[in-house]
Amino acid sequence: MEHLEYQEGRTEIGHLGKVALIDRLTDGFERRNASTVKGVGDDAAVLGTGATKTLVTTQTLVEGIHFDMMYTPLKHLGYKALAIAISNLAAMNATPKQALVSIAASNRYSVEALEELYAGIRLCCNRYDVDLAGGETVTNRMGLVITVTAIGEAAEEKITYRSGAKLHDLICVSGDLGSAYCGLLILEREKVTYQANPNFQPDLDGFDYVLERYLKPEPRMDIVKLLGEKGVVPTSMIDVSGGLASEMLHLCKASKCGCEVYEERIPIDYQTTRVCSEMSKNMLPVSCALNGGEDYELLFTIRQSDYETVKEMSEVHIIGHITEEGSAAVMVTPQNTTIELRAQGFQGEE
Amino acid sequence: MEHLEYQEGRTEIGHLGKVALIDRLTDGFERRNASTVKGVGDDAAVLGTGATKTLVTTQTLVEGIHFDMMYTPLKHLGYKALAIAISNLAAMNATPKQALVSIAASNRYSVEALEELYAGIRLCCNRYDVDLAGGETVTNRMGLVITVTAIGEAAEEKITYRSGAKLHDLICVSGDLGSAYCGLLILEREKVTYQANPNFQPDLDGFDYVLERYLKPEPRMDIVKLLGEKGVVPTSMIDVSGGLASEMLHLCKASKCGCEVYEERIPIDYQTTRVCSEMSKNMLPVSCALNGGEDYELLFTIRQSDYETVKEMSEVHIIGHITEEGSAAVMVTPQNTTIELRAQGFQGEE
């Protein structure tokens, strides 16, 4: 009979970063099959022996950790759960094809509630041409846990890993950063006000963009498609699920390089700036971009020779460049001081 | 702000069977990709456009629902979580190749505890030549939820669906049935005794087989291999995760047929019989086989022309035959009375 709590010499999971934890847990596993091209350590596994590879990724969302039922419509939640799994495939430069959805739900959830969740999943399937190909629904003791497995395809030579960035490559990011986190801040603020006074009507006017960014993110398949059409294969890529800082560090670590990111180049929406100024005079929009997370934009590097092509892409911003192995990952401020990037993130991301 | 509990006209999840629930939730989803050969509705999804297909399945285990930490060693749990996902691939006549493991764990679990879990996963990976290819570990508010995605391969013509059974086909089952459930009964009995008196030493002597059946099931890849070597492709197949009764009904429903299973042919281990007689004089071993579940044996049908080959397989038992569409799924007793099979199962299975 086991007593987990009283174990001696225990290490708390929170003491390790997410990546360090996976590294420790998967230490000692061997590769046995030729069809396992890339296993643990990127946004998706790469499988198969042919020219077209199969990419597989899983993403788990836990109630009370990754979402709050107080302000998360189930339809949005279903959409988001699949969207962020697809985003992992986008980060590999792959095209999504199928998904399997496993749900553990307590008896607090009715069949009608799960139908709402599935309506969101269906919307996302239709939007991104993904087939729901399986999964299961089991009983949970408390709350809701959703695990989505997304499966995609890519030609071998198009697959983009975290590890391919080379010296002098340009660092690019799609869309804008920090807005999803600002959406979360607004929702948390309204929740607190509502809990103090249940007759209170939430005031979400003028925050539509940041709220949608948090509640219903879109994987940037449009960017994957555009890059493909223009013949640009990024040298490395990752999606921004944590903040820009932690994702940049992942790329640099995997690619064995440093980087310089220019603060003034980091794309930030005006609603993000507005939320920051409303929240606190000390809250900087760039901090939301660096540490907020959940933007699900694509962070990638390109060869200098692709500069002319990429600078024409209105949704892609060139924010810096790769520096040599051994150098730090830094942000350069408008005052030309450099600040070392550090992983903070939120919600259990490193 | 949502109040899930007070929804009007709500249908409890438990009111629908597992299959009826998935049918309802996945209603209205369309197939969009040619590479989705088989989606929802079998043990695994079948994907790909080539002659060799990729099979993908997910399996979720929830603490307090599917396992009890009072008597489940974490190493066994890790092994079992992967083993039962592999069993889904075995049920499609496929060979496992990779797995992704997603874990949601509360802070009650230390890194060392997760290492134990992963040690079990590694053991199972090594045993069945599976590569751990990804996954993640996230924070859970309470308890442990493990979702394993298993990926396998099979030649298109070898893939065995639930839907292929034909009139007069013979019904076969591997190993023995009911023993895993008897293992669970013993563990539950010892738990109750322990809770009443924590100084009590559990007495598990003589129950090693049924305990191992419950705590550390083995997917029947040996049967898949043997059938392949002997050139037998089952006409339909499913793994026995619920009881024999519910699995037989799944096969009959998918294959649009009835069946006759002979009670005296159902393979039952002597330890199963012993546990039943110890537990209660009203407890029949055949009830454990029909309704117990978690045996992870293979239930399949073969053409009559394969009879001579299959009857030589010591681990395969021919227990009945398929009857025509519209006829019931029944068990025939030694007294030659027929009893209609009904799904009961345990642990949230239908």
Side-chain angles (χ1 to χ4, degrees):
Chain A
M1 305 278 164
E2 302 212 21
H3 298 277
L4 292 166
E5 295 85 345
Y6 306 123
Q7 234 174 14
E8 274 183 61
R10 60 175 275 156
T11 311
E12 301 300 329
I13 293 173
H15 282 196
L16 298 178
K18 204 167 177 175
V19 172
L21 177 62
I22 283 291
D23 282 353
R24 181 154 159 191
L25 295 178
T26 59
D27 188 45
F29 279 79
E30 291 164 42
R31 196 185 77 137
R32 293 167 166 269
N33 295 296
S35 60
T36 310
V37 180
K38 174 77 188 178
V40 176
D42 217 306
D43 291 284
V46 180
L47 312 176
T49 50
T52 300
K53 300 298 182 194
T54 300
L55 292 97
V56 186
T57 181
T58 69
Q59 192 79 47
T60 297
L61 295 182
V62 178
E63 181 178 349
I65 306 291
H66 303 98
F67 59 90
D68 187 329
M69 286 314 297
M70 275 287 283
Y71 51 67
T72 309
L74 280 160
K75 196 169 173 180
H76 286 65
L77 180 62
Y79 191 97
K80 181 171 177 171
L82 178 53
I84 65 181
I86 293 173
S87 181
N88 282 339
L89 297 176
M92 304 294 289
N93 210 22
T95 305
K97 295 288 179 184
Q98 290 90 14
L100 287 77
V101 176
S102 294
I103 291 173
S106 75
N107 58 14
R108 189 166 150 251
Y109 291 87
S110 63
V111 174
E112 290 76 14
L114 295 184
E115 283 182 316
E116 272 297 292
L117 190 75
Y118 266 80
I121 294 168
R122 189 165 66 222
L123 206 63
C124 194
C125 277
N126 292 347
R127 171 80 179 78
Y128 293 99
D129 279 333
V130 169
D131 291 329
L132 183 73
E136 59 173 353
T137 299
V138 300
T139 307
N140 202 8
R141 275 197 303 174
M142 189 178 89
L144 183 63
V145 177
I146 309 170
T147 300
V148 175
T149 300
I151 301 155
E153 279 179 17
E156 187 165 18
E157 67 277 12
K158 294 277 181 73
I159 297 172
T160 309
Y161 297 93
R162 295 180 181 178
S163 56
K166 294 278 179 291
L167 184 62
H168 305 315
D169 280 355
L170 300 174
I171 301 165
C172 306
V173 71
S174 62
D176 70 87
L177 298 176
S179 42
Y181 182 62
C182 286
L184 175 62
L185 290 177
I186 294 294
L187 289 166
E188 285 286 338
R189 184 181 74 177
E190 300 302 299
K191 176 184 168 181
V192 169
T193 316
Y194 174 84
Q195 283 173 328
N197 172 16
N199 294 319
F200 163 80
Q201 289 298 315
D203 178 18
L204 303 172
D205 256 17
F207 298 117
D208 53 318
Y209 177 69
V210 295
L211 292 172
E212 179 143 334
R213 289 284 287 172
Y214 177 73
L215 291 173
K216 189 168 167 287
E218 302 291 349
R220 298 308 304 256
M221 287 309 304
D222 57 334
I223 302 293
V224 170
K225 194 163 167 247
L226 183 63
L227 291 169
E229 283 166 3
K230 300 292 181 187
V232 177
V233 178
T235 53
S236 71
M237 187 147 63
I238 193 169
D239 70 330
V240 184
S241 55
L244 173 63
S246 72
E247 305 303 351
M248 201 64 245
L249 288 168
H250 286 319
L251 273 197
C252 287
K253 189 181 174 202
S255 295
K256 298 190 177 66
C257 62
C259 72
E260 280 186 5
V261 169
Y262 296 93
E263 182 181 345
E264 61 202 4
R265 299 281 190 90
I266 297 172
I268 290 172
D269 187 80
Y270 77 95
Q271 272 194 14
T272 301
T273 309
R274 194 184 135 206
V275 171
C276 285
S277 64
E278 274 196 22
M279 286 286 166
S280 150
K281 62 178 178 176
N282 297 321
M283 190 167 170
L284 300 175
V286 71
S287 298
C288 295
L290 288 172
N291 304 318
E294 295 231 45
D295 288 312
Y296 299 107
E297 296 295 342
L298 293 175
L299 175 67
F300 56 98
T301 54
I302 57 164
R303 291 176 190 84
Q304 295 232 350
S305 55
D306 284 322
Y307 170 72
E308 294 295 333
T309 312
V310 171
K311 85 174 165 69
E312 300 301 321
M313 299 176 180
S314 60
E315 283 285 291
V316 175
H317 311 275
I318 299 170
I319 61 169
H321 60 267
I322 295 296
T323 57
E324 63 192 359
E325 187 173 351
S327 58
V330 300
M331 181 175 76
V332 181
T333 69
Q335 295 76 35
N336 217 26
T337 57
T338 63
I339 299 170
E340 196 156 334
L341 294 177
R342 285 189 307 169
Q344 290 187 328
F346 72 127
Q347 294 194 345
E349 295 287 331
E350 228 187 329
Chain B
M1 304 278 165
E2 304 210 21
H3 298 278
L4 292 166
E5 295 85 348
Y6 306 123
Q7 237 174 12
E8 275 183 60
R10 58 174 278 159
T11 311
E12 301 300 330
I13 293 173
H15 283 194
L16 299 178
K18 204 168 179 174
V19 172
L21 177 62
I22 282 291
D23 282 353
R24 182 155 159 191
L25 295 178
T26 59
D27 188 44
F29 279 78
E30 293 164 39
R31 195 186 78 137
R32 294 166 165 268
N33 295 296
S35 60
T36 311
V37 180
K38 174 76 187 178
V40 176
D42 217 304
D43 291 285
V46 180
L47 311 176
T49 50
T52 299
K53 301 298 183 195
T54 300
L55 292 96
V56 186
T57 181
T58 69
Q59 191 79 47
T60 297
L61 296 182
V62 178
E63 180 177 352
I65 306 291
H66 303 99
F67 59 90
D68 187 328
M69 287 313 298
M70 275 288 282
Y71 51 68
T72 310
L74 281 160
K75 196 169 174 180
H76 286 64
L77 181 61
Y79 192 96
K80 180 171 178 173
L82 178 53
I84 65 182
I86 293 173
S87 181
N88 283 337
L89 298 176
M92 305 293 290
N93 209 21
T95 305
K97 295 288 180 183
Q98 290 91 14
L100 287 77
V101 177
S102 294
I103 291 172
S106 76
N107 59 14
R108 189 166 149 251
Y109 291 87
S110 63
V111 173
E112 289 76 14
L114 295 185
E115 283 182 316
E116 272 295 293
L117 190 74
Y118 266 80
I121 294 168
R122 188 165 67 222
L123 206 61
C124 194
C125 277
N126 292 347
R127 172 79 180 78
Y128 293 99
D129 278 334
V130 169
D131 290 329
L132 183 73
E136 58 172 354
T137 300
V138 300
T139 308
N140 201 9
R141 274 197 303 174
M142 190 177 88
L144 182 63
V145 178
I146 309 171
T147 300
V148 175
T149 300
I151 301 156
E153 279 179 16
E156 188 165 17
E157 68 278 10
K158 295 276 181 74
I159 296 173
T160 309
Y161 296 94
R162 295 179 182 180
S163 56
K166 295 275 178 290
L167 184 62
H168 305 313
D169 280 356
L170 301 173
I171 301 166
C172 307
V173 71
S174 63
D176 69 88
L177 298 176
S179 43
Y181 182 62
C182 286
L184 175 63
L185 290 177
I186 293 294
L187 289 166
E188 285 287 337
R189 182 181 76 177
E190 298 304 298
K191 176 185 167 180
V192 170
T193 317
Y194 174 84
Q195 284 172 328
N197 172 16
N199 294 319
F200 162 80
Q201 288 298 315
D203 178 18
L204 303 171
D205 255 17
F207 298 118
D208 53 319
Y209 178 69
V210 295
L211 292 172
E212 179 143 334
R213 289 285 287 172
Y214 176 74
L215 291 173
K216 190 168 166 285
E218 302 290 350
R220 297 309 302 255
M221 287 309 304
D222 56 334
I223 302 293
V224 170
K225 192 162 170 251
L226 183 63
L227 290 169
E229 284 167 3
K230 301 291 181 188
V232 177
V233 179
T235 54
S236 71
M237 187 148 62
I238 193 168
D239 69 330
V240 185
S241 54
L244 174 64
S246 72
E247 305 303 351
M248 203 62 245
L249 288 168
H250 286 319
L251 273 197
C252 286
K253 190 182 173 200
S255 294
K256 298 188 177 66
C257 62
C259 72
E260 281 185 6
V261 169
Y262 296 92
E263 182 180 345
E264 63 202 1
R265 299 282 191 90
I266 298 172
I268 290 171
D269 188 81
Y270 78 95
Q271 272 194 14
T272 302
T273 308
R274 192 184 136 207
V275 171
C276 285
S277 65
E278 276 198 21
M279 288 283 167
S280 152
K281 62 179 177 177
N282 297 320
M283 191 168 170
L284 300 175
V286 72
S287 299
C288 295
L290 288 172
N291 305 317
E294 296 231 43
D295 287 312
Y296 300 104
E297 295 296 342
L298 292 176
L299 175 67
F300 56 98
T301 54
I302 57 164
R303 291 175 190 83
Q304 295 231 352
S305 55
D306 284 322
Y307 170 73
E308 294 295 331
T309 312
V310 171
K311 85 173 163 71
E312 300 302 321
M313 299 177 180
S314 59
E315 282 285 291
V316 175
H317 312 275
I318 299 170
I319 62 170
H321 60 268
I322 295 296
T323 57
E324 61 191 358
E325 187 173 351
S327 59
V330 301
M331 182 173 77
V332 182
T333 69
Q335 296 75 36
N336 217 26
T337 57
T338 63
I339 299 169
E340 196 157 334
L341 295 176
R342 285 188 307 168
Q344 290 187 328
F346 73 126
Q347 294 195 346
E349 294 289 331
E350 232 187 328

